[in-house]
Amino acid sequence: LTLLIIGVGIFLATRQAKNSLGLPSGYEYYWSATCQHCAKVQEFMDSWEGTAKISLEKKEISSPANSDLLVRRASSCNISVNDVGVPFLFTPGGKCIVGDEPIIEYLKGLNL
């Protein structure tokens, strides 16, 4: 019983440490209303069956808070401020995917 309690404590501490890194619990998709490439991703998402199976938060970058978060997410993947753009997908594991075709291919490849 003691080992079980210790094991659960370690599991919870590890899980809390990961969350303190600021990783999302789901996918974060950054887009702009004026972006043609974002429109292509949106068209795919509208017809993709997997959209309902994943946690996907869409963040329009005209909001300063969303724009700032996009820059922080990109910097976590060593993408400089000058190279940040949309469409941009940030995964729960902390991976950054940039561009319409890479995002669409990534989503198609998810094993749902």
Side-chain angles (χ1 to χ4, degrees):
L1 183 61
T2 303
L3 289 176
L4 179 63
I5 292 171
I6 291 171
V8 169
I10 291 171
F11 171 77
L12 292 175
T14 303
R15 187 170 154 194
Q16 189 171 12
K18 285 182 181 178
N19 287 340
S20 69
L21 295 175
L23 293 178
S25 59
Y27 294 87
E28 294 176 352
Y29 172 64
Y30 296 85
W31 64 284
S32 170
T34 60
C35 168
Q36 294 175 336
H37 297 283
C38 299
K40 185 176 178 182
V41 174
Q42 185 60 51
E43 182 179 322
F44 167 77
M45 287 183 184
D46 288 344
S47 64
W48 181 53
E49 294 175 2
T51 302
K53 298 178 182 177
I54 64 171
S55 172
L56 178 70
E57 189 174 348
K58 296 177 183 176
K59 298 179 179 281
E60 212 283 331
I61 62 164
S62 65
S63 157
N66 289 345
S67 181
D68 290 345
L69 186 55
L70 168 60
V71 170
R72 287 198 312 270
R73 297 300 195 206
S75 69
S76 74
C77 294
N78 296 318
I79 299 172
S80 73
V81 172
N82 295 330
D83 295 329
V84 176
V86 291
F88 182 98
L89 182 69
F90 192 71
T91 71
K95 183 176 180 181
C96 298
I97 304 164
V98 183
D100 55 4
E101 291 182 20
I103 290 172
I104 291 169
E105 290 305 311
Y106 175 84
L107 293 174
K108 284 181 180 178
L110 289 177
N111 205 4
L112 303 176

